[in-house]
Amino acid sequence: QVQLVQSGAEVTKPGASVKVSCKTSGYTFTSYYVHWVRQAPGQGLEWVGIIHPAGGTTDYARNLQGRVAMTRDTSTSTVYMEMSSLRSDDTAMYYCGTEVPNTGGVDYWGQGTLVTVSS
Amino acid sequence: QSALTQPASVSGSPGQSITISCTGSSSDIGSYSLVSWYQQHPGKAPKLIIYEGSKCPSGVSNRFSGSKSGNTASLTISGLQPEDEADYYCCSYAGSPTSYVFGSGTKLTVL
């Protein structure tokens, strides 16, 4: 069965960077897109970006461009999301999830990784 | 890109039907058929309940249905059940460079 397992919680300081991993299994890694979505405490969902594992192409939310980068390792079926110049309002639960290409729906989700930015 | 507009809350009694609206623009919902809906219970990851505007994933109850008219998408839940009480989010593809945008979220209370 499809599984996405994310790395553990992170506590980091303003201005620093964080890298979250999403290890996938149960399907052909290059067949599904992978999205990242975040949710600040008590707030709604916010789309962060997408990576197409087959070719590594990415697209990011306009307000995060320049601070976020998504990469993948096809040998371990793992996707990474790195965010730099962190601010307190980047504190959120970060989820990865898969999409069958061109359906627009994220059908399998990771368990989430809490990133806390605090001085 | 601003979030899609949803009502902050809706409520209904068990057995009733409710509809949640999701209003966007000609840049997102009005131009693309890639509208999805998610259910989220507290402390849990979102769950896909509708994709491509009106399609229901395998294993999701057919009490959930989706539709679109112009710049507005809608989610209807029929035969409300207590376990339907959750937050609901719409999401639309919005083309490059925005790509995807979520709705503001709606809290459903089953009375």
PDB file of all heavy atoms in Angstrom, chain A residues 8-39:
ATOM      1  N   GLY A   8      11.042  13.767  11.495  1.00  0.00           N
ATOM      2  CA  GLY A   8      10.505  14.228  12.763  1.00  0.00           C
ATOM      3  C   GLY A   8      10.465  15.734  12.927  1.00  0.00           C
ATOM      4  O   GLY A   8      10.961  16.498  12.110  1.00  0.00           O
ATOM      5  N   ALA A   9       9.849  16.132  14.025  1.00  0.00           N
ATOM      6  CA  ALA A   9       9.650  17.549  14.315  1.00  0.00           C
ATOM      7  C   ALA A   9      10.973  18.297  14.386  1.00  0.00           C
ATOM      8  O   ALA A   9      12.011  17.736  14.773  1.00  0.00           O
ATOM      9  CB  ALA A   9       8.888  17.711  15.624  1.00  0.00           C
ATOM     10  N   GLU A  10      10.908  19.562  14.011  1.00  0.00           N
ATOM     11  CA  GLU A  10      12.095  20.415  13.993  1.00  0.00           C
ATOM     12  C   GLU A  10      11.819  21.690  14.787  1.00  0.00           C
ATOM     13  O   GLU A  10      10.729  22.269  14.687  1.00  0.00           O
ATOM     14  CB  GLU A  10      12.454  20.806  12.554  1.00  0.00           C
ATOM     15  CG  GLU A  10      12.729  19.651  11.616  1.00  0.00           C
ATOM     16  CD  GLU A  10      14.209  19.287  11.555  1.00  0.00           C
ATOM     17  OE1 GLU A  10      15.007  19.864  12.323  1.00  0.00           O
ATOM     18  OE2 GLU A  10      14.557  18.429  10.717  1.00  0.00           O
ATOM     19  N   VAL A  11      12.805  22.123  15.562  1.00  0.00           N
ATOM     20  CA  VAL A  11      12.751  23.425  16.229  1.00  0.00           C
ATOM     21  C   VAL A  11      13.978  24.194  15.760  1.00  0.00           C
ATOM     22  O   VAL A  11      15.103  23.709  15.872  1.00  0.00           O
ATOM     23  CB  VAL A  11      12.773  23.286  17.762  1.00  0.00           C
ATOM     24  CG1 VAL A  11      12.736  24.683  18.406  1.00  0.00           C
ATOM     25  CG2 VAL A  11      11.603  22.446  18.238  1.00  0.00           C
ATOM     26  N   THR A  12      13.716  25.375  15.206  1.00  0.00           N
ATOM     27  CA  THR A  12      14.823  26.122  14.627  1.00  0.00           C
ATOM     28  C   THR A  12      14.641  27.616  14.872  1.00  0.00           C
ATOM     29  O   THR A  12      13.568  28.054  15.300  1.00  0.00           O
ATOM     30  CB  THR A  12      14.920  25.822  13.119  1.00  0.00           C
ATOM     31  OG1 THR A  12      16.086  26.433  12.589  1.00  0.00           O
ATOM     32  CG2 THR A  12      13.706  26.339  12.374  1.00  0.00           C
ATOM     33  N   LYS A  13      15.694  28.369  14.622  1.00  0.00           N
ATOM     34  CA  LYS A  13      15.673  29.798  14.931  1.00  0.00           C
ATOM     35  C   LYS A  13      15.375  30.633  13.684  1.00  0.00           C
ATOM     36  O   LYS A  13      15.627  30.209  12.554  1.00  0.00           O
ATOM     37  CB  LYS A  13      17.018  30.207  15.522  1.00  0.00           C
ATOM     38  CG  LYS A  13      17.300  29.580  16.880  1.00  0.00           C
ATOM     39  CD  LYS A  13      18.530  30.176  17.521  1.00  0.00           C
ATOM     40  CE  LYS A  13      18.844  29.503  18.849  1.00  0.00           C
ATOM     41  NZ  LYS A  13      17.685  29.574  19.775  1.00  0.00           N
ATOM     42  N   PRO A  14      14.854  31.839  13.897  1.00  0.00           N
ATOM     43  CA  PRO A  14      14.628  32.747  12.764  1.00  0.00           C
ATOM     44  C   PRO A  14      15.907  32.950  11.968  1.00  0.00           C
ATOM     45  O   PRO A  14      17.001  33.075  12.536  1.00  0.00           O
ATOM     46  CB  PRO A  14      14.189  34.047  13.446  1.00  0.00           C
ATOM     47  CG  PRO A  14      13.594  33.620  14.735  1.00  0.00           C
ATOM     48  CD  PRO A  14      14.409  32.439  15.185  1.00  0.00           C
ATOM     49  N   GLY A  15      15.757  32.929  10.646  1.00  0.00           N
ATOM     50  CA  GLY A  15      16.895  33.114   9.759  1.00  0.00           C
ATOM     51  C   GLY A  15      17.577  31.822   9.350  1.00  0.00           C
ATOM     52  O   GLY A  15      18.354  31.814   8.390  1.00  0.00           O
ATOM     53  N   ALA A  16      17.288  30.750  10.065  1.00  0.00           N
ATOM     54  CA  ALA A  16      17.912  29.466   9.755  1.00  0.00           C
ATOM     55  C   ALA A  16      17.157  28.761   8.636  1.00  0.00           C
ATOM     56  O   ALA A  16      16.190  29.284   8.079  1.00  0.00           O
ATOM     57  CB  ALA A  16      17.941  28.599  11.012  1.00  0.00           C
ATOM     58  N   SER A  17      17.626  27.550   8.294  1.00  0.00           N
ATOM     59  CA  SER A  17      16.980  26.728   7.274  1.00  0.00           C
ATOM     60  C   SER A  17      16.538  25.413   7.878  1.00  0.00           C
ATOM     61  O   SER A  17      17.054  24.988   8.922  1.00  0.00           O
ATOM     62  CB  SER A  17      17.959  26.453   6.120  1.00  0.00           C
ATOM     63  OG  SER A  17      18.338  27.639   5.473  1.00  0.00           O
ATOM     64  N   VAL A  18      15.589  24.761   7.218  1.00  0.00           N
ATOM     65  CA  VAL A  18      15.133  23.448   7.656  1.00  0.00           C
ATOM     66  C   VAL A  18      14.902  22.594   6.419  1.00  0.00           C
ATOM     67  O   VAL A  18      14.517  23.100   5.363  1.00  0.00           O
ATOM     68  CB  VAL A  18      13.842  23.562   8.501  1.00  0.00           C
ATOM     69  CG1 VAL A  18      12.645  23.954   7.640  1.00  0.00           C
ATOM     70  CG2 VAL A  18      13.556  22.264   9.231  1.00  0.00           C
ATOM     71  N   LYS A  19      15.177  21.292   6.556  1.00  0.00           N
ATOM     72  CA  LYS A  19      14.963  20.366   5.444  1.00  0.00           C
ATOM     73  C   LYS A  19      14.142  19.194   5.958  1.00  0.00           C
ATOM     74  O   LYS A  19      14.546  18.504   6.892  1.00  0.00           O
ATOM     75  CB  LYS A  19      16.292  19.872   4.889  1.00  0.00           C
ATOM     76  CG  LYS A  19      16.192  19.131   3.568  1.00  0.00           C
ATOM     77  CD  LYS A  19      17.583  18.882   2.982  1.00  0.00           C
ATOM     78  CE  LYS A  19      17.516  18.267   1.590  1.00  0.00           C
ATOM     79  NZ  LYS A  19      18.866  18.096   0.998  1.00  0.00           N
ATOM     80  N   VAL A  20      12.974  18.996   5.355  1.00  0.00           N
ATOM     81  CA  VAL A  20      12.046  17.947   5.759  1.00  0.00           C
ATOM     82  C   VAL A  20      12.019  16.874   4.677  1.00  0.00           C
ATOM     83  O   VAL A  20      11.981  17.191   3.483  1.00  0.00           O
ATOM     84  CB  VAL A  20      10.630  18.527   5.974  1.00  0.00           C
ATOM     85  CG1 VAL A  20       9.659  17.435   6.389  1.00  0.00           C
ATOM     86  CG2 VAL A  20      10.664  19.645   7.022  1.00  0.00           C
ATOM     87  N   SER A  21      12.038  15.618   5.085  1.00  0.00           N
ATOM     88  CA  SER A  21      12.018  14.524   4.118  1.00  0.00           C
ATOM     89  C   SER A  21      10.667  13.815   4.114  1.00  0.00           C
ATOM     90  O   SER A  21       9.922  13.839   5.102  1.00  0.00           O
ATOM     91  CB  SER A  21      13.134  13.521   4.399  1.00  0.00           C
ATOM     92  OG  SER A  21      12.898  12.849   5.634  1.00  0.00           O
ATOM     93  N   CYS A  22      10.377  13.176   2.993  1.00  0.00           N
ATOM     94  CA  CYS A  22       9.126  12.441   2.794  1.00  0.00           C
ATOM     95  C   CYS A  22       9.485  11.173   2.038  1.00  0.00           C
ATOM     96  O   CYS A  22       9.716  11.214   0.817  1.00  0.00           O
ATOM     97  CB  CYS A  22       8.146  13.313   2.016  1.00  0.00           C
ATOM     98  SG  CYS A  22       6.614  12.509   1.484  1.00  0.00           S
ATOM     99  N   LYS A  23       9.587  10.057   2.757  1.00  0.00           N
ATOM    100  CA  LYS A  23       9.987   8.791   2.134  1.00  0.00           C
ATOM    101  C   LYS A  23       8.743   8.056   1.679  1.00  0.00           C
ATOM    102  O   LYS A  23       7.840   7.782   2.484  1.00  0.00           O
ATOM    103  CB  LYS A  23      10.797   7.932   3.094  1.00  0.00           C
ATOM    104  CG  LYS A  23      11.299   6.639   2.462  1.00  0.00           C
ATOM    105  CD  LYS A  23      12.286   5.921   3.326  1.00  0.00           C
ATOM    106  CE  LYS A  23      12.685   4.582   2.718  1.00  0.00           C
ATOM    107  NZ  LYS A  23      13.272   4.740   1.366  1.00  0.00           N
ATOM    108  N   THR A  24       8.703   7.718   0.401  1.00  0.00           N
ATOM    109  CA  THR A  24       7.514   7.077  -0.167  1.00  0.00           C
ATOM    110  C   THR A  24       7.757   5.600  -0.415  1.00  0.00           C
ATOM    111  O   THR A  24       8.896   5.152  -0.580  1.00  0.00           O
ATOM    112  CB  THR A  24       7.111   7.752  -1.485  1.00  0.00           C
ATOM    113  OG1 THR A  24       8.051   7.406  -2.507  1.00  0.00           O
ATOM    114  CG2 THR A  24       7.060   9.271  -1.339  1.00  0.00           C
ATOM    115  N   SER A  25       6.676   4.830  -0.446  1.00  0.00           N
ATOM    116  CA  SER A  25       6.753   3.406  -0.761  1.00  0.00           C
ATOM    117  C   SER A  25       5.394   2.924  -1.226  1.00  0.00           C
ATOM    118  O   SER A  25       4.376   3.604  -1.034  1.00  0.00           O
ATOM    119  CB  SER A  25       7.209   2.604   0.472  1.00  0.00           C
ATOM    120  OG  SER A  25       6.285   2.749   1.528  1.00  0.00           O
ATOM    121  N   GLY A  26       5.375   1.745  -1.859  1.00  0.00           N
ATOM    122  CA  GLY A  26       4.112   1.142  -2.261  1.00  0.00           C
ATOM    123  C   GLY A  26       3.638   1.500  -3.654  1.00  0.00           C
ATOM    124  O   GLY A  26       2.543   1.088  -4.050  1.00  0.00           O
ATOM    125  N   TYR A  27       4.425   2.274  -4.394  1.00  0.00           N
ATOM    126  CA  TYR A  27       4.059   2.626  -5.757  1.00  0.00           C
ATOM    127  C   TYR A  27       5.329   2.995  -6.515  1.00  0.00           C
ATOM    128  O   TYR A  27       6.402   3.141  -5.927  1.00  0.00           O
ATOM    129  CB  TYR A  27       3.060   3.788  -5.778  1.00  0.00           C
ATOM    130  CG  TYR A  27       3.635   5.126  -5.369  1.00  0.00           C
ATOM    131  CD1 TYR A  27       4.039   6.049  -6.319  1.00  0.00           C
ATOM    132  CD2 TYR A  27       3.781   5.479  -4.020  1.00  0.00           C
ATOM    133  CE1 TYR A  27       4.568   7.273  -5.965  1.00  0.00           C
ATOM    134  CE2 TYR A  27       4.318   6.700  -3.651  1.00  0.00           C
ATOM    135  CZ  TYR A  27       4.714   7.601  -4.624  1.00  0.00           C
ATOM    136  OH  TYR A  27       5.245   8.815  -4.251  1.00  0.00           O
ATOM    137  N   THR A  28       5.202   3.158  -7.823  1.00  0.00           N
ATOM    138  CA  THR A  28       6.340   3.572  -8.636  1.00  0.00           C
ATOM    139  C   THR A  28       6.599   5.053  -8.398  1.00  0.00           C
ATOM    140  O   THR A  28       5.764   5.899  -8.732  1.00  0.00           O
ATOM    141  CB  THR A  28       6.076   3.310 -10.128  1.00  0.00           C
ATOM    142  OG1 THR A  28       5.808   1.919 -10.320  1.00  0.00           O
ATOM    143  CG2 THR A  28       7.283   3.712 -10.968  1.00  0.00           C
ATOM    144  N   PHE A  29       7.741   5.356  -7.823  1.00  0.00           N
ATOM    145  CA  PHE A  29       8.048   6.704  -7.319  1.00  0.00           C
ATOM    146  C   PHE A  29       7.866   7.780  -8.389  1.00  0.00           C
ATOM    147  O   PHE A  29       7.390   8.878  -8.094  1.00  0.00           O
ATOM    148  CB  PHE A  29       9.498   6.715  -6.818  1.00  0.00           C
ATOM    149  CG  PHE A  29       9.971   8.036  -6.299  1.00  0.00           C
ATOM    150  CD1 PHE A  29       9.361   8.639  -5.205  1.00  0.00           C
ATOM    151  CD2 PHE A  29      11.051   8.691  -6.893  1.00  0.00           C
ATOM    152  CE1 PHE A  29       9.811   9.859  -4.722  1.00  0.00           C
ATOM    153  CE2 PHE A  29      11.502   9.906  -6.415  1.00  0.00           C
ATOM    154  CZ  PHE A  29      10.886  10.497  -5.324  1.00  0.00           C
ATOM    155  N   THR A  30       8.215   7.468  -9.630  1.00  0.00           N
ATOM    156  CA  THR A  30       8.157   8.487 -10.680  1.00  0.00           C
ATOM    157  C   THR A  30       6.767   8.651 -11.283  1.00  0.00           C
ATOM    158  O   THR A  30       6.572   9.482 -12.168  1.00  0.00           O
ATOM    159  CB  THR A  30       9.160   8.148 -11.802  1.00  0.00           C
ATOM    160  OG1 THR A  30       8.948   6.796 -12.221  1.00  0.00           O
ATOM    161  CG2 THR A  30      10.591   8.310 -11.308  1.00  0.00           C
ATOM    162  N   SER A  31       5.789   7.891 -10.798  1.00  0.00           N
ATOM    163  CA  SER A  31       4.452   7.923 -11.399  1.00  0.00           C
ATOM    164  C   SER A  31       3.548   9.004 -10.815  1.00  0.00           C
ATOM    165  O   SER A  31       2.568   9.391 -11.453  1.00  0.00           O
ATOM    166  CB  SER A  31       3.772   6.561 -11.247  1.00  0.00           C
ATOM    167  OG  SER A  31       4.464   5.573 -11.963  1.00  0.00           O
ATOM    168  N   TYR A  32       3.811   9.441  -9.595  1.00  0.00           N
ATOM    169  CA  TYR A  32       2.922  10.394  -8.934  1.00  0.00           C
ATOM    170  C   TYR A  32       3.661  11.709  -8.662  1.00  0.00           C
ATOM    171  O   TYR A  32       4.840  11.709  -8.316  1.00  0.00           O
ATOM    172  CB  TYR A  32       2.435   9.855  -7.580  1.00  0.00           C
ATOM    173  CG  TYR A  32       1.495   8.676  -7.611  1.00  0.00           C
ATOM    174  CD1 TYR A  32       1.026   8.122  -6.422  1.00  0.00           C
ATOM    175  CD2 TYR A  32       1.066   8.105  -8.789  1.00  0.00           C
ATOM    176  CE1 TYR A  32       0.168   7.034  -6.417  1.00  0.00           C
ATOM    177  CE2 TYR A  32       0.205   7.014  -8.801  1.00  0.00           C
ATOM    178  CZ  TYR A  32      -0.235   6.486  -7.617  1.00  0.00           C
ATOM    179  OH  TYR A  32      -1.089   5.415  -7.614  1.00  0.00           O
ATOM    180  N   TYR A  33       2.951  12.815  -8.777  1.00  0.00           N
ATOM    181  CA  TYR A  33       3.485  14.092  -8.329  1.00  0.00           C
ATOM    182  C   TYR A  33       3.488  14.083  -6.791  1.00  0.00           C
ATOM    183  O   TYR A  33       2.706  13.370  -6.159  1.00  0.00           O
ATOM    184  CB  TYR A  33       2.619  15.241  -8.794  1.00  0.00           C
ATOM    185  CG  TYR A  33       2.421  15.380 -10.282  1.00  0.00           C
ATOM    186  CD1 TYR A  33       1.324  16.049 -10.796  1.00  0.00           C
ATOM    187  CD2 TYR A  33       3.339  14.853 -11.193  1.00  0.00           C
ATOM    188  CE1 TYR A  33       1.132  16.195 -12.164  1.00  0.00           C
ATOM    189  CE2 TYR A  33       3.154  14.989 -12.557  1.00  0.00           C
ATOM    190  CZ  TYR A  33       2.047  15.658 -13.039  1.00  0.00           C
ATOM    191  OH  TYR A  33       1.858  15.804 -14.386  1.00  0.00           O
ATOM    192  N   VAL A  34       4.328  14.912  -6.211  1.00  0.00           N
ATOM    193  CA  VAL A  34       4.319  15.077  -4.750  1.00  0.00           C
ATOM    194  C   VAL A  34       4.129  16.559  -4.424  1.00  0.00           C
ATOM    195  O   VAL A  34       4.876  17.417  -4.906  1.00  0.00           O
ATOM    196  CB  VAL A  34       5.611  14.551  -4.104  1.00  0.00           C
ATOM    197  CG1 VAL A  34       5.593  14.846  -2.589  1.00  0.00           C
ATOM    198  CG2 VAL A  34       5.753  13.044  -4.331  1.00  0.00           C
ATOM    199  N   HIS A  35       3.114  16.838  -3.638  1.00  0.00           N
ATOM    200  CA  HIS A  35       2.824  18.187  -3.174  1.00  0.00           C
ATOM    201  C   HIS A  35       3.320  18.349  -1.741  1.00  0.00           C
ATOM    202  O   HIS A  35       3.398  17.380  -0.974  1.00  0.00           O
ATOM    203  CB  HIS A  35       1.308  18.449  -3.146  1.00  0.00           C
ATOM    204  CG  HIS A  35       0.640  18.479  -4.471  1.00  0.00           C
ATOM    205  ND1 HIS A  35       0.202  19.663  -5.059  1.00  0.00           N
ATOM    206  CD2 HIS A  35       0.308  17.485  -5.321  1.00  0.00           C
ATOM    207  CE1 HIS A  35      -0.377  19.379  -6.212  1.00  0.00           C
ATOM    208  NE2 HIS A  35      -0.332  18.069  -6.404  1.00  0.00           N
ATOM    209  N   TRP A  36       3.586  19.599  -1.370  1.00  0.00           N
ATOM    210  CA  TRP A  36       3.796  19.978   0.020  1.00  0.00           C
ATOM    211  C   TRP A  36       2.742  21.032   0.383  1.00  0.00           C
ATOM    212  O   TRP A  36       2.519  21.991  -0.369  1.00  0.00           O
ATOM    213  CB  TRP A  36       5.195  20.531   0.250  1.00  0.00           C
ATOM    214  CG  TRP A  36       6.265  19.483   0.177  1.00  0.00           C
ATOM    215  CD1 TRP A  36       6.917  19.051  -0.933  1.00  0.00           C
ATOM    216  CD2 TRP A  36       6.785  18.717   1.270  1.00  0.00           C
ATOM    217  NE1 TRP A  36       7.813  18.066  -0.610  1.00  0.00           N
ATOM    218  CE2 TRP A  36       7.765  17.843   0.736  1.00  0.00           C
ATOM    219  CE3 TRP A  36       6.546  18.686   2.647  1.00  0.00           C
ATOM    220  CZ2 TRP A  36       8.483  16.954   1.532  1.00  0.00           C
ATOM    221  CZ3 TRP A  36       7.268  17.811   3.428  1.00  0.00           C
ATOM    222  CH2 TRP A  36       8.227  16.946   2.866  1.00  0.00           C
ATOM    223  N   VAL A  37       2.116  20.816   1.524  1.00  0.00           N
ATOM    224  CA  VAL A  37       1.058  21.691   2.025  1.00  0.00           C
ATOM    225  C   VAL A  37       1.368  21.982   3.488  1.00  0.00           C
ATOM    226  O   VAL A  37       1.818  21.079   4.208  1.00  0.00           O
ATOM    227  CB  VAL A  37      -0.323  21.002   1.902  1.00  0.00           C
ATOM    228  CG1 VAL A  37      -1.418  21.835   2.567  1.00  0.00           C
ATOM    229  CG2 VAL A  37      -0.661  20.743   0.439  1.00  0.00           C
ATOM    230  N   ARG A  38       1.160  23.211   3.937  1.00  0.00           N
ATOM    231  CA  ARG A  38       1.422  23.510   5.343  1.00  0.00           C
ATOM    232  C   ARG A  38       0.182  24.079   6.019  1.00  0.00           C
ATOM    233  O   ARG A  38      -0.740  24.576   5.351  1.00  0.00           O
ATOM    234  CB  ARG A  38       2.605  24.465   5.494  1.00  0.00           C
ATOM    235  CG  ARG A  38       2.352  25.889   5.034  1.00  0.00           C
ATOM    236  CD  ARG A  38       3.612  26.738   5.258  1.00  0.00           C
ATOM    237  NE  ARG A  38       3.412  28.127   4.877  1.00  0.00           N
ATOM    238  CZ  ARG A  38       4.346  29.074   5.001  1.00  0.00           C
ATOM    239  NH1 ARG A  38       5.544  28.778   5.499  1.00  0.00           N
ATOM    240  NH2 ARG A  38       4.076  30.311   4.630  1.00  0.00           N
ATOM    241  N   GLN A  39       0.192  24.002   7.333  1.00  0.00           N
ATOM    242  CA  GLN A  39      -0.944  24.479   8.131  1.00  0.00           C
ATOM    243  C   GLN A  39      -0.415  25.073   9.429  1.00  0.00           C
ATOM    244  O   GLN A  39       0.081  24.344  10.294  1.00  0.00           O
ATOM    245  CB  GLN A  39      -1.916  23.321   8.415  1.00  0.00           C
ATOM    246  CG  GLN A  39      -3.193  23.740   9.101  1.00  0.00           C
ATOM    247  CD  GLN A  39      -4.208  22.608   9.125  1.00  0.00           C
ATOM    248  OE1 GLN A  39      -3.863  21.447   9.278  1.00  0.00           O
ATOM    249  NE2 GLN A  39      -5.488  22.951   8.974  1.00  0.00           N
TER     250      GLN A  39
END
